[in-house]
Amino acid sequence: MSYRTLAQRVAATAERLGPVRRLVLLAGANRPDALVVHLAALASGHPVLLVPGDSDSTIDALTAAYDPDVVARADRRGVWSLDERRRGSAHTLHPDLALLLSTSGSTGSPKLVRLSHENVQANAESIATYLGISDTDRAATTLPPHYCYGLSVIHSHLVRGAGLILTDRSVSDPAFWEEFRTARGTSLAGVPYTFDLLDRVGFARMDLPHLLRVTQAGGRLAPERVARYAELGRRSGWELFVMYGQTEATARMAYLPPHLAAKRPEAVGVPIPGGSFRLAPAEGNGHGPETGELVYSGPNVMLGYAETPADLALGRTVRELHTGDLARRAPDGLYEIVGRRSRFAKILGLRIDPQRVETLLEEHGVTAYCSGDGDALAVAAVGSGEDEAQLRRLVAEGCGLPARAVRVRALAELPRLATGKPDYEAVRRLTRPVPEERPFPAGNVRDLRGLRALYAEILDRPAATVTEDSTFVGLGGDSLCYVEMSLRLEEALGVLPTDWHTRPIRELRSLATPGREADSPVGPDRSPRPPQRPRSLETGIALRAIGIVLIVGSHIPVFSLQGSAHVLIGVAGFNFARFHLTAAAHRERLRHLWRSIARIAVPSVVWITGAVVLTGLYDPANALLLNSLLDQGTERHEWHYWFVEALVYFLLVLGVLMAVPLLDRLERRHAFGVPLTLVAIGLIGRYDLLELAPARFHLGPAVVFWLFALGWAAARATSVRQRALLTATLALTTPGLFGDQPLRTALVVTGLSLLIWVPTLPSLGPLNRVAGVLASSSLYIYLTHFQVYPLLRDDFPVLALFASLAIGIGYATLATRVVRRLSRKWLGRGLQTQGSGLRLRIPNSTRK
């Protein structure tokens, strides 16, 4: 739409609104109809009460509270209408009044911010100036227009004659990025939650040739993320603007110049053009004498608040804005926010700063929202229910409060308003004691409650911590429980998408195939069931199940088909990428990885130690998983556990490397490039260019690492070209690994090619269940079968195969339960230790 066409539509709507000023309630939406009404009302002097268009309850509440003269909204069919409730106005409207915005999201609170025409114009001009917006820019509407930040994006671009990409799609929707590229988008705006979504969708790897700037406001973005995005922008050709503002200032008060974002990511920056700051004394704030309440002055400061229709007649009641934020001015002239004065809570006589608690928890790898609630501190944190007791102690010790005064609720996702800001009212509500809930029904897993119960059961999570927004990966799921979960879901819901493990439960519920809840051809009412979708089995699961059977059968031997262990090395790399290199925060990634290493290493060391002691066949180095490093010669039995050693070595080294924030950021930016580089490095070991290979060449960790890296790269490959490159590498470099064994080479190439190219294989329900048990127990079958099959192989080789599988499955069940308990105890001690450190960081002044 051209500006000429827009102006014509605005003029027509303004004419319909008429010359008599009326209060217009506008259900905001990122669509042309809503924008036209908004601009028409502003242009002809009608005050606009802008409310969220997707919240009927808020529209109804504010309609009842303010009795608007005109209501502009879309009906249930999406048809836009102007409901003119009266020809004149029921209100006395101050001549300066232009816009009414809420500061409380979608709560329907009658407290509104009164903004003038000067406020709106001045703030739009100021933002356009420091962002350098020109008429060639095109901004996407990534935020709702009833939110002051989203509205400021619209105003600041229109005031420069720039373009708007009106869309209500989320940045997590692939279609959004198609729109953005097609329209040659130059500007992207987001709140902290938006950046969480950008991490999840691989924003760092996107090709956005026209992007010029990314802006961030709406809450504090962690300094390390600011620095990371600033560096990403520098390399990609766009600038990051971190901004600070409030609705009471029509949106913006400060911004951090892009060239300082990487150096000073903790600062909010300098006042916007036309504005100024001063620090008002704030005694007893606990942050030092150089700190005060940040007070802002400028032409964008609101007229004042409105709480009833009578307030619409008021003129200016506010001259400067007391932000409620505690700040200091650094020697370089940049302002830094250190706390929130208005959020201070007095609990049991102690003055607590919830924002400071959030910051300190963040330093310990815990993302949380905190709020005072009477005589208790309410804390909602990302995590699992098993962490709640430790987190409560951590916070209590840090704040000097008794544990009974701290209420903690661990959640998969923190509560946010529609704008993406923290929902502190929900934090207080969610943490309040509730009557003990009955467990979820175990029967029908096709509804949300049943799905949540299934997740809680398989992932061993308290039921209360599993919400409809939880994901398998977000709840700490890994390859050891992935198999059972995927098969149970596939059985209940039908064919699953390949990315089901990253999708929230509510999305999976919508995939349910009618008639899946039983194998009977008729439903409960005896009517025929709809036809069921054919079953399928993920290729990775199939390879693990088939591979372990081939390994055990070839060792007995019932048959001779070798090479499956090398295929499983590639599958391990594939799963490493899927379950450990997620979009989670850096600390959460590491925590998840070390837990998985423990779940592999501990049962392995226990079993192998028993084998060393009881059989006398193995050197003690095997019990410590050191045989590959010490090279115990060519004896076959000494190399029985090379696979376990290699897997643990790979994960340990990668865990250490990923602990370096720079390397973690590098992997996130180059998800395919990093493992491809590791494949190249691994080929040095594959051809033993450094002469580090052991006597049994093809079993050395350095020799087979390239297969692990190739599986990792396969999980990250997103195009035919990338998959073809991996397949060619596999086909060219596998020959010669096993000497003159073409069948073994062919098996490895075939198995890993399937992993690269074929996400799922056709299957049957009973076959899926068998494959699931074998795949989830494959590591433990590998561990135990060396001590089982020798007892039976001479007389009953087939029985030796089945006995080896059965014993391994039994050990898997036992080991999983024991390791889970041990990891919980270890985590608890770690959090208690962290609590002591946290307590030392709290200044004494907060304990008065």
Side-chain angles (χ1 to χ4, degrees):
M1 183 187 299
S2 69
Y3 268 84
R4 181 183 300 277
T5 302
L6 178 62
Q8 290 170 348
R9 291 187 59 178
V10 167
T13 304
E15 183 176 355
R16 180 175 174 182
L17 290 173
V20 179
R21 296 181 76 223
R22 294 188 288 178
L23 178 62
V24 178
L25 184 145
L26 172 60
N30 285 316
R31 51 181 290 178
D33 294 325
L35 180 59
V36 166
V37 174
H38 174 69
L39 296 176
L42 289 182
S44 52
H46 302 279
V48 178
L49 171 51
L50 196 52
V51 301
D54 58 353
S55 175
D56 289 341
S57 61
T58 303
I59 294 173
D60 293 343
L62 289 175
T63 299
Y66 280 91
D67 188 21
D69 305 309
V70 180
V71 174
R73 63 182 299 185
D75 62 21
R76 297 187 181 279
R77 296 172 299 168
V79 178
W80 196 258
S81 64
L82 282 179
D83 178 14
E84 299 183 70
R85 307 175 77 199
R86 57 183 67 90
R87 289 183 177 275
S89 179
H91 310 289
T92 301
L93 304 171
H94 192 278
D96 291 341
L97 182 63
L99 186 62
L100 294 160
L101 294 177
S102 172
T103 63
S104 57
S106 301
T107 63
S109 168
K111 185 175 182 179
L112 304 173
V113 170
R114 295 182 292 116
L115 299 173
S116 69
H117 289 276
E118 181 190 16
N119 292 155
V120 175
Q121 188 74 23
N123 204 233
E125 293 278 3
S126 181
I127 294 171
T129 297
Y130 72 73
L131 290 182
I133 298 173
S134 72
D135 59 2
T136 60
D137 278 302
R138 296 178 183 182
T141 54
T142 50
L143 301 166
H146 70 269
Y147 173 36
C148 67
Y149 183 13
L151 190 60
S152 74
V153 172
I154 293 173
H155 287 170
S156 60
H157 282 76
L158 290 179
V159 82
R160 286 289 189 266
L164 290 173
I165 307 169
L166 279 180
T167 177
D168 57 3
R169 297 185 190 275
S170 166
V171 296
S172 62
D173 186 343
F176 169 86
W177 296 105
E178 294 178 12
E179 290 181 349
F180 193 77
R181 292 188 188 93
T182 300
R184 299 188 175 188
T186 64
S187 296
L188 200 64
V191 296
Y193 181 57
T194 308
F195 287 80
D196 293 341
L197 297 178
L198 292 178
D199 283 343
R200 294 180 190 177
V201 300
F203 174 73
R205 303 186 294 276
M206 290 185 182
D207 180 23
L208 303 170
H210 302 284
L211 183 62
L212 297 179
R213 69 185 66 82
V214 174
T215 63
Q216 183 272 317
R220 177 179 180 271
L221 191 64
E224 60 269 21
R225 296 187 78 188
V226 172
R228 174 160 63 87
Y229 270 89
E231 175 60 21
L232 174 61
R234 186 191 65 78
R235 291 186 291 100
S236 303
W238 49 263
E239 293 181 313
L240 175 68
F241 286 82
V242 176
M243 308 184 298
Y244 163 73
Q246 293 180 355
T247 308
E248 290 84 347
T250 326
R252 300 280 72 80
M253 291 183 286
Y255 73 100
L256 183 62
H259 68 279
L260 297 175
K263 300 176 183 177
R264 297 283 274 110
E266 70 281 6
V268 297
V270 298
I272 65 173
S276 63
F277 285 131
R278 70 179 180 88
L279 296 176
E283 296 181 1
N285 62 66
H287 295 276
E290 76 284 359
T291 301
E293 182 182 7
L294 193 62
V295 180
Y296 175 79
S297 299
N300 52 315
V301 173
M302 67 176 178
L303 296 173
Y305 291 109
E307 298 190 58
T308 67
D311 295 333
L312 303 182
L314 297 177
R316 180 169 293 281
T317 59
V318 175
R319 298 293 172 183
E320 58 180 5
L321 181 60
H322 287 256
T323 65
D325 288 324
L326 298 174
R328 59 171 168 256
R329 188 173 185 268
D332 57 7
L334 300 181
Y335 285 85
E336 301 172 354
I337 304 297
V338 297
R340 177 75 181 160
R341 185 176 188 180
S342 61
R343 280 187 61 204
F344 272 92
K346 202 163 189 177
I347 301 173
L348 302 181
L350 297 178
R351 199 160 180 265
I352 305 297
D353 181 356
Q355 181 169 322
R356 188 117 187 229
V357 177
E358 291 175 4
T359 302
L360 291 167
L361 287 175
E362 184 180 279
E363 292 176 359
H364 289 74
V366 179
T367 303
Y369 294 157
C370 306
S371 179
D373 189 19
D375 283 335
L377 183 65
V379 181
V382 174
S384 62
E386 64 193 44
D387 301 332
E388 289 180 357
Q390 289 80 15
L391 286 173
R392 183 178 293 108
R393 281 195 294 271
L394 181 68
V395 174
E397 292 178 5
C399 298
L401 291 170
R404 64 180 175 81
V406 179
R407 299 199 304 260
V408 176
R409 182 73 178 269
L411 303 168
E413 296 280 349
L414 294 179
R416 296 180 175 87
L417 300 170
T419 60
K421 286 187 173 183
D423 187 344
Y424 289 110
E425 177 56 38
V427 170
R428 291 187 283 270
R429 184 177 66 254
L430 289 170
T431 56
R432 287 170 186 156
V434 294
E436 185 173 350
E437 297 181 359
R438 298 182 63 186
F440 292 129
N444 181 15
V445 300
R446 296 178 68 248
D447 59 27
L448 283 174
R449 287 172 60 83
L451 285 174
R452 289 165 58 192
L454 180 63
Y455 272 63
E457 172 195 344
I458 294 180
L459 295 174
D460 192 32
R461 298 293 186 190
T465 67
V466 182
T467 72
E468 63 181 41
D469 291 317
S470 299
T471 66
F472 176 80
V473 171
L475 291 172
D478 58 19
S479 60
L480 297 177
C481 49
Y482 174 83
V483 176
E484 181 181 2
M485 177 65 84
S486 65
L487 294 179
R488 291 279 295 274
L489 287 176
E490 196 269 349
E491 183 176 339
L493 303 180
V495 178
L496 293 174
T498 55
D499 62 346
W500 71 264
H501 56 294
T502 62
R503 292 198 185 191
I505 293 173
R506 54 182 163 74
E507 287 188 16
L508 295 181
R509 169 63 187 85
S510 66
L511 301 173
T513 303
R516 256 303 174 196
E517 57 267 40
D519 291 330
S520 170
V522 295
D525 59 356
R526 311 307 298 170
S527 60
R529 291 193 186 277
Q532 298 184 6
R533 300 181 192 173
R535 293 289 176 89
S536 62
L537 183 65
E538 285 194 25
T539 300
I541 297 175
L543 291 175
R544 288 168 65 182
I546 295 171
I548 194 60
V549 173
L550 293 182
I551 288 170
V552 177
S554 297
H555 285 168
I556 293 175
V558 177
F559 41 72
S560 182
L561 284 172
Q562 296 181 311
S564 293
H566 289 77
V567 172
L568 296 189
I569 286 287
V571 174
F574 188 86
N575 288 334
F576 171 76
R578 296 182 75 194
F579 302 116
H580 297 298
L581 302 181
T582 65
H586 183 208
R587 290 177 182 268
E588 184 61 26
R589 266 190 175 189
L590 291 177
R591 182 182 177 191
H592 190 188
L593 177 57
W594 290 112
R595 275 184 174 180
S596 291
I597 293 173
R599 293 180 67 182
I600 295 171
V602 172
S604 298
V605 168
V606 169
W607 184 271
I608 298 172
T609 299
V612 170
V613 173
L614 297 177
T615 68
L617 293 176
Y618 304 97
D619 188 276
N622 276 272
L624 300 176
L625 302 180
L626 295 176
N627 181 70
S628 299
L629 294 181
L630 300 180
D631 194 357
Q632 302 296 309
T634 59
E635 291 293 329
R636 179 180 177 185
H637 59 267
E638 292 287 3
W639 284 91
H640 278 170
Y641 296 106
W642 71 270
F643 178 89
V644 179
E645 292 185 0
L647 185 57
V648 172
Y649 293 171
F650 299 159
L651 295 179
L652 283 173
V653 172
L654 290 170
V656 171
L657 292 176
M658 297 305 292
V660 180
L662 177 63
L663 298 179
D664 178 81
R665 294 194 295 270
L666 185 68
E667 188 281 326
R668 293 177 192 266
R669 294 182 191 127
H670 305 286
F672 181 74
V674 167
L676 187 64
T677 301
L678 292 177
V679 171
I681 295 173
L683 290 175
I684 297 175
R686 154 68 183 91
Y687 292 104
D688 197 23
L689 300 181
L690 301 180
E691 298 184 354
L692 299 176
R696 294 183 69 85
F697 177 82
H698 62 284
L699 306 183
V703 176
V704 301
F705 173 72
W706 70 279
L707 290 171
F708 182 92
L710 190 137
W712 174 355
R716 295 304 202 209
T718 58
S719 67
V720 172
R721 180 179 298 179
Q722 290 174 343
R723 294 187 179 96
L725 175 61
L726 295 179
T727 307
T729 302
L730 179 68
L732 292 173
T733 55
T734 305
L737 178 64
F738 308 109
D740 188 19
Q741 298 184 59
L743 182 59
R744 194 172 190 175
T745 299
L747 191 147
V748 172
V749 172
T750 302
L752 292 181
S753 295
L754 285 173
L755 188 68
I756 294 169
W757 289 99
V758 184
T760 60
L761 298 169
S763 185
L764 299 172
L767 192 60
N768 278 6
R769 287 189 282 273
V770 172
V773 173
L774 290 173
S776 59
S777 305
S778 56
L779 173 68
Y780 306 96
I781 295 171
Y782 183 90
L783 280 172
T784 58
H785 82 284
F786 292 111
Q787 285 72 53
V788 177
Y789 74 75
L791 304 176
L792 298 167
R793 65 176 173 185
D794 292 337
D795 298 320
F796 309 102
V798 175
L799 180 60
L801 172 60
F802 285 104
S804 297
L805 299 178
I807 296 297
I809 293 169
Y811 186 56
T813 303
L814 175 64
T816 299
R817 293 178 180 176
V818 173
V819 171
R820 184 176 290 157
R821 291 177 183 175
L822 290 176
S823 65
R824 285 179 183 172
K825 292 181 179 180
W826 174 78
L827 176 62
R829 295 193 188 99
L831 283 172
Q832 291 174 30
T833 303
Q834 290 175 346
S836 301
L838 177 62
R839 180 176 55 200
L840 294 175
R841 294 171 183 261
I842 301 287
N844 290 332
S845 58
T846 64
R847 300 184 176 213
K848 286 193 300 183

